[in-house]
C-alpha cells in the first residue's frame, strides 16, 4: 500500500511538472525570452533580388471571405499612402523596387479565383533566418540622407548578417522589437511580426492559416515602414532600411531597421528638471504641427500613448505609426463630429464639404494635453513663465487653440527662456558677496535639491552668474557653487551648488564662487 501511494504521488508530480513545462513553452513570447538569453543571433541565407511576394500570389489562396476582406483593406491602405502625392523627394522614391513591387500586389485577384491555404498550428518564431538582400543590385530604396556615416547605402540583410549583441526588448499586439548592433558601430532597433503575439495568435485560432495571418499582420509593419519613409521629420524615428527573410516556412517575412531610442518613462520624467520636461513637450508639439500639415495630409495617431514614443538624445520621437491615419471623418451634421475621451467629450464643426473640421489635429492635441502637458509643463517652471504655461495647458485642454497657435506659444516660451527675458520681471533680493576662484572645483560637499540634473547633488542650469547667485542665496544649505563648462540644450550653463568649500581641487575650465561671510 505504501509503495502504491508513493507511485501515485510520483506520477502526480511528474504530470504536474510536464504540464507546467508545456504551459511555459506555449506562452506567447516565451521564445523571445529564450532569445534574450542567447549571446548572438546568426543570420544566414542566400541573397535574392526580389523584395516581397505579390498579394495576387497569396490572395488567391485565401478561402475565408472575412480574412480576404481584411487583407485587401490593409493592402489598399498601404497602396494609398504610397500613391498619395507628397514631397518631391518622397515622390521620387515611389519608383524604386519596393514600391513597384507593391503596385503589382493586388491585381487580378477576385473571390472566384481563391484556392484553399490553411495551416492548423502556428510555428514559433526562431529569430531572423535565411536573410535576403535589401534591394536589386545597384539600387537604393531609401534616401541617401541616412545619418549612418559608415554606410552610404541603406541598411539591409548584409548588415543584419553581421549583427551582434541582439537582445529582445519587448512586443505589442503585432510586433516584436529587438536591439542589435550593426557593423560593430550602430545600435538599432529591429522590428518584425511577433508570431506569438495577440494579432497572430487570434488570427490563426480563428482562421487556421498561418501564412495568410502573417500577411495580414505584416501589412501593419509595411504601413509603418511606408509612413516612416514618407514622413520626414526630426521627431519621427528614422528608418535605416529593411530586410526580407524566410521564417517559419513563410517566404519573405519582413524585418525593419530603425533608429534606437530609450523608452519614455513618465515617472522618471517627472523627476527631471523643468527644462528637460519642456523639451519633451516642445518636441511633441513640433511633431504634431508637422503631422497636421504633412505631405500626406493631416495625420492622426489613433494609438496615442507614452509607450508609442521614445527619447533620442533628449528629443521625443514617435516610434509606432502602424495605427496612424490620414482619413478625414465624413459627416452630415456637427453631431457626427463627436470626439469622446475618458474625462471629456467634444463636438467639432461639420464643414460644407461634409468633413469634420480639424478632427485629426484636435485629437492629437487633446491627447498631448492629457498625456503630457498637464503633467510636464507647469510644475517647477520659472515663476515668471507659469502664467503663460498655465494658459497653454488650459487652452489645449479646452481645445480653444489649434496646433499652430499652440506651437507659437511654446516657441515664445522657449525664446523667453533662452534669452533670459523671463528674468526681467523677477524681483531680485540683495545678493551676497562671492569670492571667485578660477580653475578649481569643490569636491563632494553636496546637498540635494529638486529638480536636479544629478541625483546625489544639486546641479541646476542658469542663464547667467546673477541667477546662480540668486539660487545660492535662496538655498539655506548653499555656501558655494561651481560654474562648469557644460551647457544644456538651450545653451544654459550647469552649476553645482555646494554646502561649503572645504575640499577644493584643481579643475580646468571650472570656476568656483565662495560666499563671503558677513
Amino acid at each position: 500500500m505504501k509503495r502504491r501511494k508513493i507511485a501515485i504521488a510520483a506520477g502526480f508530480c511528474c504530470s504536474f511538472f510536464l504540464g507546467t513545462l508545456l504551459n511555459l513553452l506555449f506562452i506567447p513570447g516565451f521564445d523571445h525570452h529564450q532569445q534574450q538569453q542567447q549571446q548572438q543571433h546568426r543570420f544566414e541565407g542566400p541573397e535574392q533580388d526580389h523584395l516581397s511576394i505579390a498579394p495576387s500570389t497569396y490572395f488567391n489562396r485565401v478561402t475565408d471571405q472575412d480574412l480576404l476582406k481584411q487583407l485587401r483593406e490593409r493592402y489598399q491602405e498601404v497602396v494609398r499612402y504610397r500613391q498619395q502625392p507628397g514631397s518631391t523627394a518622397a515622390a521620387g522614391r515611389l519608383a524604386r523596387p519596393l514600391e513597384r513591387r507593391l503596385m503589382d500586389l493586388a491585381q487580378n485577384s477576385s473571390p472566384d479565383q481563391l484556392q484553399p491555404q490553411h495551416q492548423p498550428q502556428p510555428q514559433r518564431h526562431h529569430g531572423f533566418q535565411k536573410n535576403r538582400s535589401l534591394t536589386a543590385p545597384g539600387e537604393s530604396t531609401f534616401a541617401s540622407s541616412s545619418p549612418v556615416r559608415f554606410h552610404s547605402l541603406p541598411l539591409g540583410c548584409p548588415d543584419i548578417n553581421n549583427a551582434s549583441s541582439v537582445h529582445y526588448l519587448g512586443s505589442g499586439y503585432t510586433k516584436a522589437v529587438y536591439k542589435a548592433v550593426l557593423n560593430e558601430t550602430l545600435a538599432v532597433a529591429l522590428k518584425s511580426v511577433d508570431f506569438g503575439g495577440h494579432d497572430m495568435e487570434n488570427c490563426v485560432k480563428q482562421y487556421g492559416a498561418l501564412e495568410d495571418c502573417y500577411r495580414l499582420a505584416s501589412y501593419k509593419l509595411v504601413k509603418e515602414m511606408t509612413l516612416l519613409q514618407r514622413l520626414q521629420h526630426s521627431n519621427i524615428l528614422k528608418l535605416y532600411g529593411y530586410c526580407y527573410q524566410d521564417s517559419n516556412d513563410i517566404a519573405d517575412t519582413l524585418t525593419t531597421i530603425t533608429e534606437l531610442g530609450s523608452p519614455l518613462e513618465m515617472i522618471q520624467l517627472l523627476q527631471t528638471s523643468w527644462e528637460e520636461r519642456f523639451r519633451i513637450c516642445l518636441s511633441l508639439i513640433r511633431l504634431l504641427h508637422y503631422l497636421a500639415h504633412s505631405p500626406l495630409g493631416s495625420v492622426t495617431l489613433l494609438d496615442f500613448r507614452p509607450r508609442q514614443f521614445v527619447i533620442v538624445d533628449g528629443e521625443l520621437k514617435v516610434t509606432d505609426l502602424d495605427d496612424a491615419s490620414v482619413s478625414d471623418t465624413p459627416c452630415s451634421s456637427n453631431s457626427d463630429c463627436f470626439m469622446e475621451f475618458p474625462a471629456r467629450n467634444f463636438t467639432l464643426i461639420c464643414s460644407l464639404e461634409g468633413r469634420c473640421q480639424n478632427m485629426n489635429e484636435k485629437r492629437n492635441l487633446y491627447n498631448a494635453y492629457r498625456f503630457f502637458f498637464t503633467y510636464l509643463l507647469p510644475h517647477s517652471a520659472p515663476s515668471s513663465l507659469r502664467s503663460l504655461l498655465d494658459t497653454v495647458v488650459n487652452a489645449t485642454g479646452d481645445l480653444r487653440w489649434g496646433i499652430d497657435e499652440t506651437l507659437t506659444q511654446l516657441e515664445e516660451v522657449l525664446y523667453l527662456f533662452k534669452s533670459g527675458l523671463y528674468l526681467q520681471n523677477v524681483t531680485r533680493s540683495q545678493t551676497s558677496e562671492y569670492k571667485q576662484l578660477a580653475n578649481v572645483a569643490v569636491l563632494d560637499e553636496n546637498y540635494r535639491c529638486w529638480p536636479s540634473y544629478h541625483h546625489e547633488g544639486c546641479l541646476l542650469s542658469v542663464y547667467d552668474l546673477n541667477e546662480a547667485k540668486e539660487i545660492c542665496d535662496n538655498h539655506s544649505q548653499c555656501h558655494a557653487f561651481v560654474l562648469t563648462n557644460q551647457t544644456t540644450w538651450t545653451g544654459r550653463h550647469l552649476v553645482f551648488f555646494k554646502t561649503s568649500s572645504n575640499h577644493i581641487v584643481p579643475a580646468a575650465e571650472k570656476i568656483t564662487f565662495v560666499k563671503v561671510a558677513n
Side-chain angles (χ1 to χ4, degrees):
M1 180 64 71
K2 186 176 181 179
R3 290 182 178 177
R4 183 179 178 186
K5 289 182 178 179
I6 293 174
I8 293 174
F12 175 78
C13 291
C14 184
S15 300
F16 178 77
F17 173 76
L18 288 174
T20 303
L21 180 62
L22 290 173
N23 229 0
L24 282 174
L25 289 175
F26 289 97
I27 289 176
F30 178 76
D31 55 307
H32 296 304
H33 298 288
Q34 290 177 323
Q35 293 170 8
Q36 189 175 9
Q37 296 171 2
Q38 296 175 358
Q39 294 184 357
Q40 285 190 354
H41 285 262
R42 299 296 298 171
F43 302 89
E44 300 176 353
E47 292 188 352
Q48 184 169 318
D49 290 343
H50 71 275
L51 294 175
S52 63
I53 291 181
S56 54
T57 304
Y58 55 83
F59 277 11
N60 291 343
R61 300 190 302 227
V62 184
T63 57
D64 191 285
Q65 293 297 311
D66 181 52
L67 180 57
L68 174 63
K69 179 182 177 183
Q70 293 181 59
L71 279 165
R72 288 188 182 282
E73 287 175 350
R74 288 195 184 175
Y75 161 72
Q76 289 165 1
E77 183 182 24
V78 173
V79 171
R80 188 168 68 250
Y81 292 144
R82 290 183 178 274
Q83 291 179 330
Q84 200 158 348
S87 64
T88 303
R93 290 194 294 270
L94 290 179
R96 297 191 183 276
L98 178 61
E99 286 78 2
R100 286 204 305 267
R101 192 69 180 176
L102 280 170
M103 293 308 103
D104 297 332
L105 292 185
Q107 295 180 4
N108 302 322
S109 299
S110 58
D112 57 357
Q113 295 176 306
L114 303 179
Q115 299 296 327
Q117 170 63 20
H118 289 284
Q119 296 199 28
Q121 295 293 333
Q123 301 178 34
R124 288 290 163 193
H125 185 45
H126 297 293
F128 309 105
Q129 304 168 358
K130 297 183 180 178
N131 291 276
R132 304 193 181 265
S133 60
L134 174 65
T135 61
E139 292 204 77
S140 168
T141 303
F142 297 98
S144 59
S145 58
S146 170
V148 188
R149 297 180 181 178
F150 61 86
H151 204 298
S152 60
L153 295 176
L155 300 177
C157 297
D159 304 286
I160 291 180
N161 191 54
N162 295 319
S164 60
S165 303
V166 181
H167 299 288
Y168 167 71
L169 294 180
S171 56
Y173 271 54
T174 307
K175 295 170 293 187
V177 184
Y178 300 83
K179 175 183 177 181
V181 177
L182 303 187
N183 302 313
E184 300 180 353
T185 306
L186 181 70
V188 299
L190 304 177
K191 293 185 180 182
S192 59
V193 171
D194 185 1
F195 279 77
H198 176 275
D199 282 357
M200 282 293 294
E201 287 205 336
N202 278 10
C203 180
V204 173
K205 187 180 297 182
Q206 182 174 357
Y207 302 111
L210 176 63
E211 183 173 355
D212 297 329
C213 287
Y214 173 81
R215 298 302 170 196
L216 183 65
S218 70
Y219 273 126
K220 282 193 173 183
L221 200 58
V222 175
K223 173 187 173 181
E224 180 173 273
M225 182 172 67
T226 301
L227 291 177
L228 289 176
Q229 186 181 5
R230 298 296 304 275
L231 302 175
Q232 302 290 317
H233 190 263
S234 59
N235 296 113
I236 297 177
L237 211 66
K238 290 182 174 63
L239 179 67
Y240 290 154
Y242 59 92
C243 174
Y244 279 92
Q245 65 224 351
D246 292 347
S247 181
N248 292 305
D249 297 327
I250 298 176
D252 296 305
T253 62
L254 173 64
T255 299
T256 60
I257 309 168
T258 69
E259 189 176 13
L260 180 68
S262 302
L264 186 68
E265 301 289 349
M266 292 299 292
I267 299 300
Q268 293 180 6
L269 270 180
L270 291 172
Q271 300 174 28
T272 60
S273 69
W274 175 82
E275 188 175 354
E276 293 304 310
R277 287 185 275 116
F278 174 71
R279 185 181 188 182
I280 296 297
C281 294
L282 183 62
S283 297
L284 178 60
I285 207 65
R286 285 171 173 171
L287 166 67
L288 299 186
H289 181 268
Y290 172 78
L291 293 180
H293 306 285
S294 85
L296 301 180
S298 182
V299 180
T300 186
L301 304 176
L302 296 177
D303 189 6
F304 196 118
R305 292 174 294 168
R307 63 176 296 179
Q308 309 296 346
F309 299 87
V310 295
I311 298 178
V312 180
D313 297 329
E315 288 281 327
L316 186 76
K317 297 196 177 192
V318 63
T319 178
D320 284 341
L321 290 175
D322 55 355
D323 288 312
S325 174
V326 297
S327 301
D328 292 325
T329 303
C331 60
S332 57
S333 66
N334 290 351
S335 60
D336 296 328
C337 303
F338 183 72
M339 290 197 306
E340 184 176 7
F341 297 96
R344 191 162 182 183
N345 302 325
F346 299 92
T347 300
L348 304 182
I349 297 175
C350 180
S351 69
L352 296 176
E353 294 78 18
R355 300 289 176 180
C356 295
Q357 285 188 1
N358 303 321
M359 178 169 275
N360 289 346
E361 172 187 330
K362 296 284 189 177
R363 182 184 288 111
N364 285 342
L365 193 55
Y366 187 78
N367 279 326
Y369 156 79
R370 71 189 186 106
F371 284 116
F372 290 89
F373 294 172
T374 189
Y375 300 110
L376 303 181
L377 264 185
H379 308 299
S380 72
S383 56
S384 59
L385 294 177
R386 286 176 190 166
S387 175
L388 178 54
L389 291 170
D390 286 338
T391 302
V392 172
V393 172
N394 293 333
T396 53
D398 295 335
L399 288 185
R400 287 187 281 109
W401 288 353
I403 198 72
D404 295 347
E405 177 67 14
T406 306
L407 176 61
T408 298
Q409 294 299 324
L410 286 186
E411 293 286 3
E412 175 69 13
V413 172
L414 176 63
Y415 171 71
L416 294 174
F417 189 66
K418 289 182 66 175
S419 64
L421 292 176
Y422 73 99
L423 295 170
Q424 288 186 349
N425 297 326
V426 176
T427 303
R428 293 184 179 273
S429 59
Q430 183 65 37
T431 59
S432 303
E433 292 186 13
Y434 288 85
K435 180 181 179 181
Q436 178 176 328
L437 304 173
N439 295 319
V440 297
V442 178
L443 187 65
D444 299 325
E445 311 294 344
N446 292 317
Y447 68 92
R448 294 182 179 181
C449 66
W450 187 87
S452 172
Y453 283 89
H454 194 283
H455 293 300
E456 298 300 324
C458 186
L459 180 63
L460 303 175
S461 73
V462 299
Y463 173 71
D464 57 14
L465 185 58
N466 289 330
E467 187 177 13
K469 292 178 179 179
E470 182 84 10
I471 292 173
C472 190
D473 284 347
N474 291 331
H475 290 183
S476 60
Q477 309 99 308
C478 182
H479 291 87
F481 61 86
V482 179
L483 182 64
T484 73
N485 59 348
Q486 295 176 290
T487 57
T488 65
W489 66 282
T490 59
R492 293 162 60 91
H493 282 275
L494 288 175
V495 176
F496 254 121
F497 294 90
K498 303 287 186 173
T499 58
S500 69
S501 56
N502 294 331
H503 299 87
I504 292 181
V505 296
E509 299 185 17
K510 292 184 181 179
I511 304 175
T512 295
F513 293 83
V514 180
K515 187 180 292 186
V516 177
N518 295 328

